[in-house]
Amino acid sequence: MSTSTKALNRLGWWDRVSPASKDPITGVTEAFLADTNPHKINLGVGAYRDDEGKPVVLQCVRNAEAKIAGCDFMESNATAVGSKLVEESVKLAYGKDANVVKEGTLAGLQALSGTGACRLFAEFQRRFHPESPIYFPDPTWPNHPNIWRDAQVPVRTFQYYHPVSKGLNFAALMDDIKNAPDASFFLLHPCAHNPTGVDPTAEQWREISYQFKVKSHFPFFDVAYQGFASGDLDMDAQAIRIFLEDGHLIGCAQSFAKNMGLYGHRVGCLSVLCADAKQAVAVKSQLQQIARAMYSNPPIHGLLLVSTILSDPETKALWVKEVKVMANRIQQMRSTLRESLEKLASPLNWEHITKQVGMFCFSGLTADQVDRLVREFHIYLTRDGRMSMAGVTTSNVSYLANAIHEVTRYN
Ligand code: PLA
């Protein structure tokens, strides 16, 4: 070994590596788990809990597990199972009777949940449009910029949220769509926007879609909460259907982590609507090549669960009902939390708790107020004030309201 190689070894390969910053969402879970206080509440990660604060395995998932028990597919038949999953997922997003579903113009691939679907698309985008940035709503799920940044795609933002009204800043949003360079990529949350819980109305989606046509922008929908905004899967896909009617080519990342409670199984779907069937074949083959080099195939068990639920009419009907139950419980907790704060004679307006939809309430609490909730009340949430309403229950809601009142009453 030469002297210089020895010197290199002594220096060490990883000496220049410093610790990465903590993820704002998973960091909250870690802190919550480390807290031993019996009153602690986790409003961090957007994972559904029942009214006892327990994680839920849906009955439709249990039924699907029973159906696939002993199946022959534990080896590597992921392609056939994946195709079934894609076939059923795209019906959910684009509509079961949509022409595009029958015409073979959708290039779809099973993906490692919503994150994996986004990552695949980001990689695909860079491969074929290396110069084009992607625009995210401000704010957005904090992992979006990480995903596209790691794929070497330039990231930008467009205005979305209005902090004073705690609603949509529609005029500013439209301005940013108009002012972006023609043919830009935009990531849109079709329902239950994370973190704000603020969605455009159908009429506003129509205007957005129209402006996208004028500007030839590409809409990429991240569908992570279908069913959680309205309790109805079709209603929650209305934005996608509007863009479809208007003749856009569309990209869609779908996740079953929340609406099937399968976070740990990492099941999702990426679909790209193409101009014709030939283009769809080419696009799919590129997506497959990207996935093959990154992780080959996703694990098969979750794919089997989701494709069984979606393709068996009885199990699917049960799922549709269970989605509604989850959405309704969250809605109920929104009302109760708002009423509780109003009963405490809070000096602040809490209307937005019930106006916003989906899993999250963008409370308006400041980072300092969040820090006090953590320190004094053992209530955990991200420092932007986002509360996962799925963590609120009949038994903890008044403790939560009191704590919020305590940290906001003198502001
Ligand atoms: N897109 C959005 C808008 C999300 O909120 C999330 C998850 C994903 C994609 C990724 O979903 P996946 O688990 O299917 O990959 N957001 C969660 C969890 C619920 C997380 O951050 O991992 C959240 O608490 O924001």
Side-chain angles (χ1 to χ4, degrees), residues 15 29 90 92 96 112 123 213 223 282 307 334 338 345 388:
D15 287 357
T29 308
V90 296
L92 272 183
K96 70 177 175 7
L112 287 170
E123 207 61 39
K213 280 214 111 172
V223 200
S307 59
R334 285 183 182 278
R338 178 177 160 191
S388 171

Side-chain angles (χ1 to χ4, degrees), residues 117-140:
C118 287
R119 185 67 171 85
L120 265 181
F121 184 78
E123 207 61 39
F124 176 69
Q125 179 187 332
R126 196 214 10 117
R127 195 176 269 204
F128 294 97
H129 292 276
E131 306 303 326
S132 301
I134 185 156
Y135 286 77
F136 300 126
D138 181 19
T140 193

Side-chain angles (χ1 to χ4, degrees), residues 97-271:
D97 300 319
N99 287 339
V100 295
V101 169
K102 298 171 198 147
E103 284 163 355
T105 48
L106 277 162
L109 199 62
Q110 65 275 27
L112 287 170
S113 215
T115 309
C118 287
R119 185 67 171 85
L120 265 181
F121 184 78
E123 207 61 39
F124 176 69
Q125 179 187 332
R126 196 214 10 117
R127 195 176 269 204
F128 294 97
H129 292 276
E131 306 303 326
S132 301
I134 185 156
Y135 286 77
F136 300 126
D138 181 19
T140 193
W141 180 47
N143 212 22
H144 282 144
N146 300 339
I147 292 170
W148 268 264
R149 180 206 59 214
D150 281 2
Q152 323 292 328
V153 174
V155 301
R156 310 261 188 279
T157 56
F158 63 94
Q159 295 176 79
Y160 188 86
Y161 179 71
H162 195 275
V164 178
S165 70
K166 298 189 176 59
L168 188 67
N169 194 346
F170 186 62
L173 175 152
M174 290 302 280
D175 279 347
D176 284 357
I177 292 172
K178 286 177 199 160
N179 292 333
D182 286 357
S184 293
F185 287 85
F186 274 74
L187 182 140
L188 302 168
H189 302 220
C191 65
H193 180 272
N194 177 12
T196 66
V198 172
D199 288 345
T201 62
E203 199 37 56
Q204 288 169 332
W205 278 121
R206 280 195 192 93
E207 288 187 46
I208 295 170
S209 170
Y210 173 78
Q211 202 51 49
F212 266 56
K213 280 214 111 172
V214 173
K215 296 284 301 179
S216 307
H217 292 327
F218 186 90
F220 182 73
F221 287 102
D222 183 8
V223 200
Y225 301 95
Q226 191 172 356
F228 275 101
S230 66
D232 181 290
L233 291 152
D234 282 311
M235 181 88 89
D236 281 5
Q238 68 172 351
I240 301 168
R241 314 275 169 90
I242 288 169
F243 273 70
L244 194 61
E245 260 173 45
D246 286 351
H248 291 277
L249 296 186
I250 299 170
C252 241
Q254 290 171 266
S255 163
F256 295 101
K258 275 73 72 176
N259 57 14
M260 284 195 193
L262 292 175
Y263 195 93
H265 279 288
R266 316 307 297 148
V267 193
C269 177
L270 170 66
S271 57

Side-chain angles (χ1 to χ4, degrees), residues 362-402:
F362 210 45
S363 64
L365 293 172
T366 63
D368 286 346
Q369 289 165 342
V370 171
D371 290 345
R372 279 193 64 196
L373 283 181
V374 174
R375 231 178 19 245
E376 296 170 32
F377 299 94
H378 307 269
I379 296 170
Y380 289 82
L381 57 152
T382 49
R383 293 189 83 225
D384 58 1
R386 182 191 88 164
M387 300 193 290
S388 171
M389 294 305 295
V392 185
T393 65
T394 311
S395 28
N396 70 22
V397 65
S398 72
Y399 175 76
L400 172 64
N402 275 304

